[in-house]
């Protein structure tokens, strides 16, 4: 019987009926690579059932301690039924992208049943009229509560459902199966409850002491630097925009497919810049276009939250949360795309240096070891303040959470994975999330919002396409100019011979 950490449990505390804390991953498969007949729903369900033991969260549910005075914990789900968790849908004809986006939005908007193991999968057929997707493809949506796993854990769990092509083309599981855990049942006697409450709160306070002692002096120094900067600048924080509004119970979703090689060409325009810098600059360009069209573009830069994986190098996990948060300016006040990329690179370098100085792992541990008695208050405060997106001081306008994927093709029962992207959880005050994912030379950038905030997700997606094409043109021009200025090997050899 394992406990949730304070960081995991906090996602339960911020749950609201109109803003549940769950994430969705979307996979689309090409049926033409399957040997023999097309895959049937029952065959897919059997495959999923056979792979469930790669993570403990599949067969376990969350039990909460009375009054929230102890950490929630995992127990085996006595009512586990694979047919409850895996469901079957089909798009009506013509089976186009718009229909798929609407279905994804509706599925994601519904809360996960926390009385059962906190995940669901949807097999969706009928994807017959989508540009770039082979006709007859099917999709699988996996929806899991954020208390069970963060984006990195969800990505690692993704690989557990897939195979890679091994020697002689035989499928090899990406993640080996594990032995199922022995069921353990909770004890609910009064003495056990009191003991759990005391143990969790006292031990949590003790475990917080070391990271707190490390972080407080660094936070104080960082705070003084921040105050000094605000004295000598005209403003601080993020501007208030439509993206800092409350959300309703519905969702909108869309995504754009980019060429990863082109994104790398774009980041090479600025020496030292990363792919993540290029993505932030592209998203900044998209949001600038969108707000300009609404006549709502602020003079100051929009700011994004960005989750950072703080697991030690080499550590893998298929459950739980181990993340910290950074904020980066999107430099939306800069019209020139190259200047915007340069400004983003400078800003991210400074933010990463500050995070490193404070200690990302210690910041994560402060959340993990938070005493259970304080989590309810923390969750309520986080909800009221929109995790920093509401209140008198706006800290951010959106979130960008980047999950890199493999460069080798993945297969499920012989069907080739051709698309992989995510749908993010929203809260009041944080009503727009961008989810970039990369896989096999492509980058898929999705957006999740609420229809009262972004009533036209197709237009926002087009703004991202326009931003990408603008930067692509600059990268192509720069590459051509470099090639023209660089003498060929033959010319150099001929010059040397004379």
């Amino acid at each position: 019987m394992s406990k949730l950490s304070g960081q995991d449990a906090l996602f339960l505390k911020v749950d609201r009926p109109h803003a549940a804390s769950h994430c969705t991953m979307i996979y689309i498969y090409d049926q033409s690579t399957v040997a023999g007949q097309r895959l049937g729903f029952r065959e897919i369900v059997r495959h999923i059932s056979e792979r469930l033991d790669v993570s403990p969260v599949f067969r376990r549910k969350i039990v909460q301690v009375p009054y929230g005075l102890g950490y929630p914990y995992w127990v085996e789900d006595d009512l586990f039924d694979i047919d409850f968790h895996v469901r079957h849908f089909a798009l009506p004809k013509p089976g186009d992208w718009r229909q798929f986006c609407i279905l994804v939005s509706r599925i994601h908007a519904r809360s996960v049943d926390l009385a059962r193991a906190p995940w669901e999968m949807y097999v969706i057929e009928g994807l017959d009229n989508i540009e770039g997707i082979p006709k007859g493809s099917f999709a699988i949506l996996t929806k899991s509560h954020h208390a069970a796993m963060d984006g990195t854990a969800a990505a690692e769990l993704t690989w557990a459902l897939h195979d890679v092509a091994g020697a002689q083309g035989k499928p090899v599981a990406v993640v080996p199966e594990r032995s199922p855990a022995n069921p353990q049942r909770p004890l609910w006697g009064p003495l056990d409850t009191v003991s759990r409450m005391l143990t969790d709160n006292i031990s949590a306070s003790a475990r917080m002491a070391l990271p707190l002692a490390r972080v407080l002096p660094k936070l104080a120094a960082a705070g003084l630097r921040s105050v000094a900067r605000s004295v000598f600048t005209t403003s601080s924080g993020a501007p208030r925009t439509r993206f800092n509004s409350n959300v309703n119970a519905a969702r909108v979703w869309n995504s754009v497919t980019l060429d990863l090689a082109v994104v790398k060409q774009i980041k090479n325009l600025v020496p030292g810049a990363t792919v993540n810098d290029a993505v932030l600059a592209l998203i900044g360009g998209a949001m600038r276009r969108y707000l300009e069209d609404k006549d709502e573009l602020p003079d100051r830069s929009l700011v994004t939250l960005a989750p950072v994986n703080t697991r030690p190098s080499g550590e893998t996990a298929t459950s739980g949360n181990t993340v910290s948060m950074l904020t980066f300016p999107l430099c939306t006040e800069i019209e020139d795309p190259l200047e915007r990329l340069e400004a983003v690179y400078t800003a991210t370098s400074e933010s990463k240096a500050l995070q490193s100085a404070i200690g990302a792992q210690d910041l994560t541990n402060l959340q993990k070891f938070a005493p259970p008695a304080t989590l309810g208050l923390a969750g309520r405060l986080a909800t009221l303040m929109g995790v920093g997106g509401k209140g008198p001081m706006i800290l951010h306008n959106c979130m960008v959470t980047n999950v890199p994927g493999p460069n080798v093709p993945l297969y499920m029962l012989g069907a080739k994975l051709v698309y992989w992207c995510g749908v993010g959880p929203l809260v009041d005050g944080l009503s727009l999330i961008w989810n970039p994912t990369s896989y096999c030379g492509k980058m898929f950038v999705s957006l999740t919002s609420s229809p009262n905030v972004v009533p036209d997700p197709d237009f926002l997606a087009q703004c991202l396409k326009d931003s990408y094409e603008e930067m692509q043109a600059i990268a192509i021009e720069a590459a051509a100019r470099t090639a023209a200025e660089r003498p060929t090997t033959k010319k150099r050899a001929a010059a040397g011979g004379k």
Side-chain angles (χ1 to χ4, degrees), residues 92-121:
K93 291 188 179 301
D96 59 26
W97 182 249
R98 179 177 175 276
Q99 292 172 309
F100 184 67
C101 289
I102 291 173
L103 182 58
V104 168
S105 301
R106 289 175 177 172
I107 290 174
H108 183 73
R110 294 196 294 265
S111 299
V112 174
D113 185 356
L114 290 177
R116 312 288 287 270
W119 65 275
E120 301 166 357
M121 286 191 187

Side-chain angles (χ1 to χ4, degrees), residues 114-170:
L114 290 177
R116 312 288 287 270
W119 65 275
E120 301 166 357
M121 286 191 187
Y122 297 81
V123 179
I124 302 173
E125 298 182 290
L127 282 64
D128 295 330
N129 193 28
I130 298 177
E131 182 180 356
I133 301 296
K135 186 175 182 179
S137 295
F138 68 93
I140 292 182
L141 275 66
T142 66
K143 187 165 71 171
S144 57
H145 199 280
H146 216 317
M149 62 186 73
D150 58 21
T152 301
E156 292 173 358
L157 191 56
T158 295
W159 317 141
L161 300 175
H162 294 89
D163 303 317
V164 294
Q168 291 82 46
K170 294 181 179 180

Side-chain angles (χ1 to χ4, degrees), residues 375-392:
L375 290 176
L377 176 61
R380 187 59 181 158
L381 287 174
T383 302
L384 289 173
M385 300 299 291
V387 200
K390 294 172 60 180

Side-chain angles (χ1 to χ4, degrees), residues 14 16-20 109 242-252 383 386 390 424-433 448-454:
V14 299
R16 294 295 177 269
H18 69 293
R242 65 167 55 215
F243 307 117
N244 300 99
S245 306
N246 291 343
V247 299
N248 61 25
R251 296 292 177 264
V252 292
T383 302
K390 294 172 60 180
L426 304 178
V427 297
D428 290 338
L430 180 55
S431 61
L432 175 63
I433 292 184
T448 309
S449 190
S450 177
N452 65 305
V453 177
V454 179

Side-chain angles (χ1 to χ4, degrees), residues 31-39:
Q31 287 260 41
S32 67
T33 60
V34 179
Q37 297 181 345
R38 292 162 60 91
L39 295 175

